[in-house]
Amino acid sequence: MAQTNPLPVPTGPWKSVRSRGRENRQPPLCHPPVLEWLRSSLRMAPLPRELISAGITVYDQENFQGKRMEFTSACPNIMECNFDNIRSLKVECGAWVGYEHTGFCGQQFTLERGEYPRWDAWSGSNAYHIERLMSFRPICSANHKESKITIFEKDNFIGRQWELSDDYPSLQAMGWANNEVGSMKIQCGAWVCYQYPGYRGYQYVLEADHHGGDYKHWREWGSHAQTCQIQSIRRIQQ
Amino acid sequence: MAQTNPLPVPTGPWKSVRSRGRENRQPPLCHPPVLEWLRSSLRMAPLPRELISAGITVYDQENFQGKRMEFTSACPNIMECNFDNIRSLKVECGAWVGYEHTGFCGQQFTLERGEYPRWDAWSGSNAYHIERLMSFRPICSANHKESKITIFEKDNFIGRQWELSDDYPSLQAMGWANNEVGSMKIQCGAWVCYQYPGYRGYQYVLEADHHGGDYKHWREWGSHAQTCQIQSIRRIQQ
């Protein structure tokens, strides 16, 4: 049965009810949570779809079965909503990133609009078999039309560099010398980098509005990063 | 230890030694096999890299270990090269498609330039867990710069249609109504369609020079196709 969204309370720098007491580590959603809170408080009609910039429905069983819950903003811990795990989901609006662990930690899973009936629809790495998705957040800077990233051969923005504004399922096919990238600067939009060609393996979501867009070492790509191996890169859809 | 390539013999419509006695179902490679055969026969120097349009090295163990073999043209049955399976591979040149079974049947795996140390680097669907790669061939029509595909709502090219020339990790995010595509026409290049958003799940490689570019029903997408569910589409890199 559908449950209502755990709505964010618009006090101070917008913090979710669910994230109260812990640092909200992603940029605030500007309008939709406030509008949704007003709508809910005043018992108004549902928000027009065009005013909602992000929407996701999660289920505790595969194939969109079991308990379900809708969100329009970040959820740092699905257990606080009485879920033991997320086993299927639908992205209705915007681009999201899911995480293996609570608090936006562990493996990252890019989630764009569409249906994900099982964990393997979002998981990118079978070598490190993960069937847990415990937190998620919208990717505010995702912008398919204008995206720009510069990749560097070495860490600290040193060595050969290459500016990209398109999707590259094989960096080596486009002339990059090897299977590694030392550091990256995101000038515009949000990107996802993958361990293997063809958008497979570990995923790293990198955004213009995180770290000022600067990722000077592979350790900054995510808590699950273990090497600087990257073989494909693409823009994240909004 | 490196072994020599099982070279195609340029007789009739170019057929590989390995495919003699069975129908060669993919378009012939035009120049490289002939050049390579001449080079080998006349004990000439290795071919200049720019004359080779496709090259792949396969290994019978993970992490590029064990027996290895290099190819510049299609291999319909890796067992005829005394491999029981392929467990890692490197694509040095061109774009390829690998198959679960011999004779270019079963699940399809898009292979672009780069390194694939384990089966999960190329496999797209964990739900139908596959650790077999028994045949492969180059994708001759892959052309990243000029690619065009028209997707249709229903089979037989009926219903709403949409012409694409870019990569789409979520068709629904771009306005496509649901998670299905009825039929497709490839006007230019080679494309790979995926069951789930973000280039995950079953892969279907579709080419302008197969079926005249017309795929009028999901059964024509591949012997592994079971439904018309498609949620992301991208060009194949050359």
Side-chain angles (χ1 to χ4, degrees):
Chain A
M1 208 181 74
Q3 297 190 21
T4 53
N5 194 1
L7 293 170
V9 176
T11 56
W14 317 125
K15 281 196 180 184
S16 160
V17 170
R18 302 291 174 184
S19 66
R20 193 186 287 159
R22 72 180 71 214
E23 191 188 351
N24 195 340
R25 303 199 305 172
Q26 99 286 354
L29 282 179
C30 299
H31 302 301
V34 185
L35 294 172
E36 183 61 28
W37 170 75
L38 275 171
R39 184 197 73 75
S40 173
S41 304
L42 301 174
R43 299 174 188 278
M44 294 159 71
L47 269 179
R49 205 64 189 152
E50 59 273 19
L51 290 182
I52 301 175
S53 66
I56 191 170
T57 304
V58 301
Y59 303 79
D60 75 346
Q61 300 301 322
E62 291 186 353
N63 294 310
F64 320 115
Q65 302 294 313
K67 189 159 53 178
R68 81 173 231 188
M69 197 172 271
E70 295 171 20
F71 293 80
T72 55
S73 62
C75 172
N77 186 354
I78 194 68
M79 288 189 292
E80 291 182 6
C81 302
N82 296 319
F83 275 61
D84 69 322
N85 193 3
I86 294 170
R87 294 187 181 84
S88 57
L89 63 91
K90 291 181 185 180
V91 174
E92 285 99 18
C93 200
W96 296 72
V97 53
Y99 293 86
E100 174 188 359
H101 300 305
T102 60
F104 315 116
C105 289
Q107 272 204 54
Q108 301 170 4
F109 312 112
T110 311
L111 304 169
E112 287 147 315
R113 190 169 161 185
E115 298 178 4
Y116 302 77
R118 273 173 48 90
W119 69 273
D120 63 296
W122 62 73
S123 178
S125 173
N126 305 342
Y128 315 95
H129 189 101
I130 296 299
E131 292 188 35
R132 288 168 64 86
L133 199 162
M134 304 304 288
S135 57
F136 52 87
R137 64 174 178 83
I139 303 174
C140 297
S141 56
N143 179 349
H144 189 64
K145 292 201 182 88
E146 285 180 30
S147 301
K148 195 176 289 183
I149 183 175
T150 305
I151 60 175
F152 297 81
E153 187 185 0
K154 308 280 186 191
D155 55 13
N156 281 309
F157 316 117
I158 291 170
R160 278 197 324 139
Q161 58 179 275
W162 191 23
E163 187 181 286
L164 316 178
S165 54
D166 197 1
D167 299 349
Y168 289 95
S170 166
L171 289 178
Q172 286 184 72
M174 295 293 100
W176 193 248
N178 58 27
N179 62 5
E180 296 180 346
V181 172
S183 49
M184 293 182 263
K185 275 181 189 280
I186 319 293
Q187 284 93 347
C188 197
W191 295 76
V192 53
C193 307
Y194 294 85
Q195 183 183 13
Y196 300 128
Y199 312 126
R200 315 225 74 84
Y202 272 152
Q203 305 174 39
Y204 308 105
V205 172
L206 310 182
E207 296 159 85
D209 57 11
H210 276 210
H211 304 277
D214 287 354
Y215 295 83
K216 67 177 188 298
H217 192 279
W218 58 263
R219 288 191 196 92
E220 296 176 358
W221 304 347
S223 60
H224 63 309
Q226 294 172 355
T227 70
C228 58
Q229 188 180 33
I230 286 184
Q231 298 193 69
S232 49
I233 294 183
R234 69 175 181 88
R235 298 158 293 175
I236 294 181
Q237 194 89 356
Q238 181 70 290
Chain B
M1 206 181 78
Q3 297 188 21
T4 54
N5 194 2
L7 291 170
V9 176
T11 57
W14 316 126
K15 283 196 177 182
S16 162
V17 172
R18 302 292 174 185
S19 65
R20 194 186 287 158
R22 73 180 71 214
E23 190 188 350
N24 194 339
R25 303 199 306 170
Q26 97 287 356
L29 279 180
C30 297
H31 302 301
V34 185
L35 293 172
E36 183 60 28
W37 169 75
L38 276 171
R39 183 198 72 75
S40 174
S41 303
L42 301 174
R43 298 175 187 278
M44 294 159 71
L47 270 179
R49 204 67 189 149
E50 59 273 19
L51 290 181
I52 300 175
S53 65
I56 191 170
T57 304
V58 301
Y59 302 79
D60 74 346
Q61 300 301 322
E62 291 185 352
N63 294 312
F64 320 115
Q65 302 294 313
K67 189 160 51 178
R68 82 174 231 188
M69 196 172 272
E70 294 170 20
F71 293 80
T72 55
S73 62
C75 172
N77 186 354
I78 195 68
M79 288 188 291
E80 291 182 6
C81 301
N82 296 318
F83 276 61
D84 69 323
N85 193 3
I86 293 170
R87 295 188 180 83
S88 57
L89 63 89
K90 292 181 184 180
V91 174
E92 284 99 18
C93 199
W96 297 71
V97 53
Y99 294 85
E100 174 187 0
H101 300 305
T102 60
F104 315 116
C105 289
Q107 274 204 54
Q108 299 171 5
F109 312 112
T110 311
L111 304 169
E112 287 148 313
R113 189 168 162 187
E115 298 178 6
Y116 302 78
R118 273 172 49 91
W119 69 274
D120 64 296
W122 61 73
S123 178
S125 174
N126 306 343
Y128 316 95
H129 189 100
I130 296 300
E131 293 188 34
R132 286 168 64 86
L133 199 161
M134 303 304 288
S135 57
F136 52 87
R137 64 174 179 84
I139 302 173
C140 295
S141 56
N143 179 349
H144 190 63
K145 292 205 180 88
E146 286 179 29
S147 300
K148 196 176 287 181
I149 183 175
T150 305
I151 61 175
F152 297 81
E153 187 184 0
K154 310 278 186 192
D155 54 13
N156 281 309
F157 317 117
I158 291 171
R160 276 196 325 137
Q161 58 179 273
W162 191 23
E163 188 182 286
L164 317 179
S165 55
D166 197 2
D167 299 349
Y168 289 95
S170 166
L171 289 178
Q172 288 185 70
M174 295 292 100
W176 193 247
N178 57 28
N179 61 7
E180 296 180 346
V181 173
S183 48
M184 293 182 262
K185 274 181 189 281
I186 318 292
Q187 284 93 347
C188 197
W191 293 76
V192 54
C193 307
Y194 294 84
Q195 183 183 11
Y196 300 128
Y199 312 126
R200 315 226 74 83
Y202 272 152
Q203 305 175 40
Y204 309 105
V205 173
L206 309 182
E207 295 160 86
D209 58 10
H210 276 210
H211 305 275
D214 287 354
Y215 295 83
K216 67 178 187 298
H217 192 280
W218 58 261
R219 287 192 196 91
E220 295 176 357
W221 302 347
S223 60
H224 63 308
Q226 294 173 356
T227 70
C228 58
Q229 188 180 33
I230 286 184
Q231 298 192 69
S232 50
I233 293 182
R234 69 175 181 88
R235 300 157 291 175
I236 295 180
Q237 193 89 357
Q238 181 71 291

